[in-house]
Amino acid sequence: MSQEPTLLFLHGVGDGNRDRAWLTGLEAALSRLGYPAINPERVLAPRYAHALKDSDESFPLPKINVKQPARDKVRQNRRDFERRTAALEFRLGRHDHGTGWGGAELVVNGSANLPGFAQVRKYLGDADVRAQVLRLILSKLPAAGRIVIVGHSLGSVIAADLIQRLPKELEVVGMVTIGSPLASGRFNVDKLRENMQEPPTNLAWWANFWNVLDPVAAHRGLSSVYNWMLDFRIGTGFNHHVHDADAYLSHDAVAEAVGFGLFGSKSKEIVLAERGLDIQLDASELTALVALRYAHLLKERLDGEQGIRFAGALRQVQATVVDEIRQRNKEAGRPLPSQVARLAFDASDSNANVPEPRPSSHLTKEEAVTLLTVLASENVIRPFDINVDRGKWLGAMRELTSEMGLGSQYGSHVFEAAKEAQDVLSGALVIDWKKWGALGAGAVALVVATGGLALAAAPGVVGAAVITSALAGFGPGGMIGGLLTAGTLVGAGGGGIAFSLASPGTSAETVEAVIQRRLAAAILRQRQKLEPDYTLWSILTSNEITVRREYERLDEFSDESSQGLKELKKKLETIGRAMKYLSENGLEPKLVEDPEKDAGDWAASQNAAAAHQPSPLS
């Protein structure tokens, strides 16, 4: 096992190391978080306050030893850096870039002119002083090994200035800046921003912590300037110590980052052994597992640059999915199923192996219609977007349906149905597969805005309450929320969804996306010789009446160029094309001569359709 990294603390204005209050606060926070004690022999806190006052002689700046990566290596360096940053981010939680305060940079710039900031002005404006400070710090460092840098206030500026001048064999396993003024243009010493457009190759990750009440931090993070690093906003209290190093380092989030750099992952929150219970999966858990299995099957078909990017995206998606399910179940008092528990891995370890989901469990053809229709047209690695050849997606779908006991032809029919539905509604013979993806913000808003009306209006549809609670638990975003949103719109009953689509607040693009996926499900049912579902016909006829009436009402008085009229016309075109296809392909409800019997048959068909929709997404 490699030796514990050295902790290098770079203080700000004055001699911030004299009483070492910063170390006392950090050690207390690390102990509180379960980290071991810091080895005092591995702590470096050089005193350079005297060197900031003046210089007796001229010193050359230490040379830059860490060059920017070559053009062909930039992408790989950035990707590796992002993987390590994501590991830290997973441990800390989502970062907050913050919005800053108006005029904050002027406050920081102005403060540098105050009498107490003479050391700052010397470092920024006197090249000999700057060189003297950097050379003094470098003289205290080992020539090789691993270090964690903590830079406070002016010390964060020195840290950023120093990092590319370190010995080539000295690896920075993490850099933490606190109370940093680097977002201010006044502190762009020697074109530091331009020289650090890309992460230095000797730096594993950089996390900056800032307090909105700290004036030196310009009331904002640093990612507005160094867009590849991680910003994290914290609160250190409202008092005159808000900028102090010990106030920052006593905070759990800051200590977590420092501890992660020094000791690595504690691996306490995530246990790789299966600790879940063998309980039945609910709708969201089943959806997530099938989607992850589908994504892993596709990953095996990719290679080269695309395969690397897809694997990196899938790694983050799987970690997030498992964590979201764990958190949701914890809040609901529901145990974590073993099938989900075994997919957990230590996401804060950038080298940890990602467990693959086991082959998907058996579903009936009826149960699989909505789920697989959604998977075929949605992005299972959301929020990442990688354009993959349709043939590879199809191969993964065929393998998935074969595993599920449905046969590989079922997978082919899923894609054929989705393509035919899109051809019908676009009016084109050639489909642009690049446009496949999420239903979009409009569909998300549709589900959220109706508050589950679409589902509540569908009595008899199995799982409606489960989906409503699932959306509440995960929200509309992310992979799970996105799939559940799409599944809700594809599997919901007729009345509520018809009302929602006809609403003026629902865009023509959203209407087309929803109808396209519902049409694909109807086509798939027909190809698999399943009981027809006439709900789509009911949705279309209701929408046609409502939208046409609205069009006629507005057309009488509005300008011809009215955007509202254009939207309504697009909706009518989509509805007309779908109804024409259903009618021509035997998917329109059959009429009989006896009106009373017709009404009874219609009601019976609706009940039958509802009864045949026990899909995990319906």
Side-chain angles (χ1 to χ4, degrees):
M1 184 175 180
S2 59
Q3 191 177 32
E4 177 187 321
T6 296
L7 174 61
L8 172 64
F9 177 73
L10 301 177
H11 64 81
V13 174
D15 190 348
N17 304 319
R18 191 167 302 280
D19 60 5
R20 288 209 169 188
W22 66 270
L23 184 57
T24 302
L26 174 62
E27 289 180 322
L30 289 173
S31 175
R32 192 165 58 244
L33 293 171
Y35 283 105
I38 300 175
N39 182 352
E41 296 181 359
R42 307 293 298 174
V43 177
L44 292 177
R47 294 180 177 179
Y48 45 81
H50 62 287
L52 283 165
K53 294 179 180 179
D54 211 341
S55 175
D56 296 331
E57 57 182 298
S58 179
F59 292 100
L61 282 170
K63 66 177 182 177
I64 293 179
N65 292 315
V66 181
K67 306 294 185 181
Q68 287 287 318
R71 181 175 300 179
D72 59 336
K73 300 293 185 181
V74 168
R75 177 174 291 182
Q76 184 62 48
N77 179 59
R78 177 70 77 96
R79 185 177 299 137
D80 291 343
F81 188 89
E82 173 56 33
R83 188 186 72 251
R84 296 187 297 266
T85 300
L88 174 66
E89 185 178 26
F90 188 86
R91 177 162 294 281
L92 295 176
R94 291 294 170 188
H95 61 296
D96 186 343
H97 291 285
T99 56
W101 287 1
E105 185 168 339
L106 295 176
V107 174
V108 178
N109 291 345
S111 67
N113 297 317
L114 296 175
F117 285 80
Q119 294 177 342
V120 173
R121 293 195 298 276
K122 281 289 186 180
Y123 189 85
L124 297 177
D126 190 324
D128 289 338
V129 166
R130 178 173 163 231
Q132 181 174 253
V133 170
L134 292 173
R135 293 169 70 88
L136 185 154
I137 295 170
L138 286 169
S139 69
K140 306 293 183 182
L141 299 181
R146 300 157 66 230
I147 63 170
V148 174
I149 300 177
V150 176
H152 171 241
S153 193
L154 176 62
S156 70
V157 181
I158 297 173
D161 196 11
L162 177 74
I163 197 163
Q164 295 183 91
R165 306 175 194 278
L166 294 173
K168 292 181 180 179
E169 302 301 319
L170 193 57
E171 176 191 0
V172 184
V173 297
M175 183 163 78
V176 175
T177 51
I178 51 179
S180 175
L182 276 168
S184 169
R186 177 71 182 269
F187 292 82
N188 186 26
V189 58
D190 198 14
K191 296 183 178 180
L192 185 60
R193 297 181 181 184
E194 290 84 345
N195 294 334
M196 292 182 67
Q197 287 295 306
E198 294 294 330
T201 55
N202 63 335
L203 176 62
W205 50 261
W206 177 6
N208 176 65
F209 295 87
W210 63 284
N211 184 347
V212 73
L213 299 175
D214 183 354
V216 177
H219 306 299
R220 69 186 303 181
L222 305 183
S223 54
S224 59
V225 177
Y226 305 96
N227 59 15
W228 40 266
M229 50 80 63
L230 181 69
D231 264 328
F232 204 99
R233 183 170 62 182
I234 62 174
T236 57
F238 183 60
N239 52 57
H240 64 284
H241 295 293
V242 69
H243 179 64
D244 291 359
D246 54 306
Y248 274 100
L249 290 168
S250 298
H251 193 281
D252 283 358
V254 182
E256 186 74 72
V258 177
F260 180 70
L262 290 174
F263 305 108
S265 172
K266 300 191 299 290
S267 297
K268 290 183 177 180
E269 293 86 350
I270 298 176
V271 180
L272 300 184
E274 293 186 29
R275 291 177 49 186
L277 301 178
D278 288 323
I279 61 175
Q280 185 175 2
L281 300 170
D282 68 12
S284 53
E285 293 161 349
L286 177 60
T287 299
L289 285 177
V290 175
L292 287 174
R293 179 62 181 172
Y294 183 35
H296 275 274
L297 291 175
L298 176 64
K299 178 176 71 73
E300 297 303 316
R301 288 170 162 73
L302 304 179
D303 51 24
E305 171 76 9
Q306 188 180 60
I308 294 172
R309 289 191 294 116
F310 192 92
L314 180 54
R315 175 190 186 86
Q316 293 194 36
V317 169
Q318 181 164 322
T320 301
V321 164
V322 174
D323 187 59
E324 285 181 347
I325 293 175
R326 177 188 289 109
Q327 293 300 324
R328 187 228 29 186
N329 286 15
K330 182 179 180 181
E331 292 174 4
R334 171 180 166 81
L336 190 66
S338 60
Q339 295 181 61
V340 178
R342 67 170 302 275
L343 297 184
F345 65 98
D346 186 0
S348 62
D349 178 358
S350 61
N351 296 313
N353 292 325
V354 181
E356 290 192 12
R358 288 171 177 164
S360 298
S361 57
H362 174 74
L363 290 178
T364 68
K365 291 184 176 182
E366 294 279 1
E367 291 172 328
V369 169
T370 302
L371 175 58
L372 297 185
T373 299
V374 168
L375 288 185
S377 55
E378 290 300 304
N379 182 5
V380 295
I381 57 167
R382 184 185 292 191
F384 302 95
D385 189 7
I386 300 176
N387 183 32
V388 177
D389 179 75
R390 170 184 177 263
K392 293 182 178 179
W393 280 113
L394 173 58
M397 178 62 76
R398 285 174 57 87
E399 186 172 351
L400 179 69
T401 56
S402 180
E403 288 180 352
M404 297 169 74
L406 302 172
S408 59
Q409 187 183 47
Y410 195 110
S412 297
H413 284 175
V414 169
F415 266 62
E416 290 168 6
K419 183 178 187 301
E420 185 165 348
Q422 195 164 2
D423 285 344
V424 168
L425 299 186
S426 66
L429 296 176
V430 180
I431 201 67
D432 182 3
W433 289 91
K434 294 180 182 179
K435 293 182 179 179
W436 274 36
L439 282 168
V444 172
L446 176 62
V447 173
V448 175
T450 58
L453 284 178
L455 293 171
V461 177
V462 177
V466 175
I467 292 296
T468 304
S469 62
L471 286 172
F474 293 106
M479 187 266 268
I480 301 178
L483 293 177
L484 290 174
T485 298
T488 299
L489 296 172
V490 172
I497 195 69
F499 172 80
S500 303
L501 291 177
S503 169
T506 305
S507 69
E509 183 180 18
T510 299
V511 170
E512 181 178 346
V514 174
I515 292 177
Q516 174 196 316
R517 285 152 178 78
R518 295 201 71 130
L519 181 59
I523 296 171
L524 176 59
R525 296 179 69 85
Q526 186 182 57
R527 295 199 175 196
Q528 285 291 311
K529 303 185 185 311
L530 301 175
E531 187 76 24
D533 175 13
Y534 298 122
T535 306
L536 178 57
W537 182 267
S538 173
I539 291 171
L540 294 173
T541 54
S542 298
N543 272 272
E544 182 183 39
I545 293 170
T546 304
V547 175
R548 190 172 298 282
R549 174 62 195 130
E550 182 68 7
Y551 183 89
E552 294 301 325
R553 187 175 71 86
L554 298 183
D555 184 48
E556 198 64 37
F557 303 103
S558 300
D559 291 338
E560 291 184 4
S561 60
S562 167
Q563 185 61 37
L565 285 176
K566 290 179 181 178
E567 283 284 296
L568 291 170
K569 186 176 181 179
K570 288 179 182 178
K571 288 183 181 182
L572 287 172
E573 288 175 352
T574 297
I575 292 168
R577 286 172 177 168
M579 292 185 71
K580 183 174 183 290
Y581 179 88
L582 293 175
S583 181
E584 292 177 350
N585 290 273
L587 293 172
E588 175 185 0
K590 295 179 181 179
L591 299 178
V592 294
E593 295 181 0
D594 184 352
E596 292 184 3
K597 185 175 185 300
D598 177 34
D601 288 346
W602 171 254
S605 70
Q606 293 300 292
N607 291 333
H612 281 88
Q613 291 187 42
S615 162
L617 285 176
S618 64

